[in-house]
Amino acid sequence: MPSTNSSADTNVIVKPPLLAVLDSGAGGLPYLSYIHRHRPYGRYLYLADTEGFPYGSKSEEELIDLVSRRISCLQSRFNPDMVLIACNTASVVALSALRKRFSFPFVGVVPAVKPAAIKSKVRKIGLIATAETVVSSYTDNLIADFASDCMVIRYAGQELVEFVEHHFTSTTLAQRLEAVKPACRFFKAEGVDQLVLGCTHFIHLKDEFQSLLGPGIDVVDSVDGVGREVLRRLEDFNRGNTGNMQTDFSIYTTSETGSSSYAEFATFYGAGYAGVLTCP
């Protein structure tokens, strides 16, 4: 009886599922970095929508249309197996519409209000997010569902989104600390003991927030939770021996704006900057 494990079989290159990640800019890179570290043999495509940046200041109708067109572009060019919408605002506003329109699975990100509420001892939580996320009904419902016994202090940090997107890779630590100082001063004065980073761009500044806030305030994000969920769902695509899997980690932008910064981001995260993806 012939062996089912021939040498020819062991040399077959298995193509793993393609995970596409969409964000308005660099905010989703910590999520994909987490996933890539825990599953280095995968195929990962990151699209920074630099042409559509920023998402947080757009109306719901504008954002749903824009994100739908970006996903259509990814579908026609790459046909991903799964998509992570690595933007709190886009997830809050557009995820439901995307799931109705496209057949592949989506994972979104939302502000980590639930874990912050679980950990809070003084029942006062800070939430820093984009202008849209801070006032959205989704955020209201999130707080009602998971932090109804907490006072949630909200702060729109739109200028920090711009700072991370356009200046993060070229700034010093002192400049980054100065950028987060007004928000930290605000939340310390309010007496919170948890600060939720409700925009993924802010995760790049997590250490700076924690440094200025001090040990009495925990800085909370959703990277671990979302990362574990994506990894779990990728296991549904079992395509053979991971030792022979094709691997790739590429970053695209939708415009030339900030391309040098994205080349630096790619180097930092162990990816390759693949250039501009032209989307209608």
Side-chain angles (χ1 to χ4, degrees), residues 21-36:
V21 180
L22 174 67
D23 183 49
S24 64
L29 284 169
Y31 292 85
L32 189 50
S33 175
Y34 178 98
I35 295 162
H36 182 245

Side-chain angles (χ1 to χ4, degrees), residues 9 13 20 42-43 50 57 94 113 174 206 223 230 244 255 267:
D9 291 334
I13 301 298
R43 290 190 301 145
T50 50
S57 59
V113 169
K206 183 175 182 177
V223 171
V230 172
N244 290 319
S255 72
T267 299

Side-chain angles (χ1 to χ4, degrees), residues 113-152:
V113 169
K114 181 178 180 180
I118 292 171
K119 293 171 65 179
S120 179
K121 293 180 173 60
V122 302
R123 314 315 290 160
K124 290 186 75 174
I125 297 168
L127 170 64
I128 181 169
T130 64
E132 173 63 31
T133 299
V134 160
V135 300
S136 74
S137 59
Y138 187 97
T139 300
D140 293 338
N141 294 333
L142 195 66
I143 292 168
D145 289 342
F146 300 112
S148 59
D149 65 334
C150 296
M151 180 180 294
V152 179

Side-chain angles (χ1 to χ4, degrees), residues 239-257:
R239 296 182 176 174
N241 180 7
T242 60
N244 290 319
M245 275 196 174
Q246 181 187 72
T247 62
D248 185 49
F249 183 1
S250 299
I251 297 174
Y252 292 84
T253 57
T254 54
S255 72
E256 291 288 351
T257 303

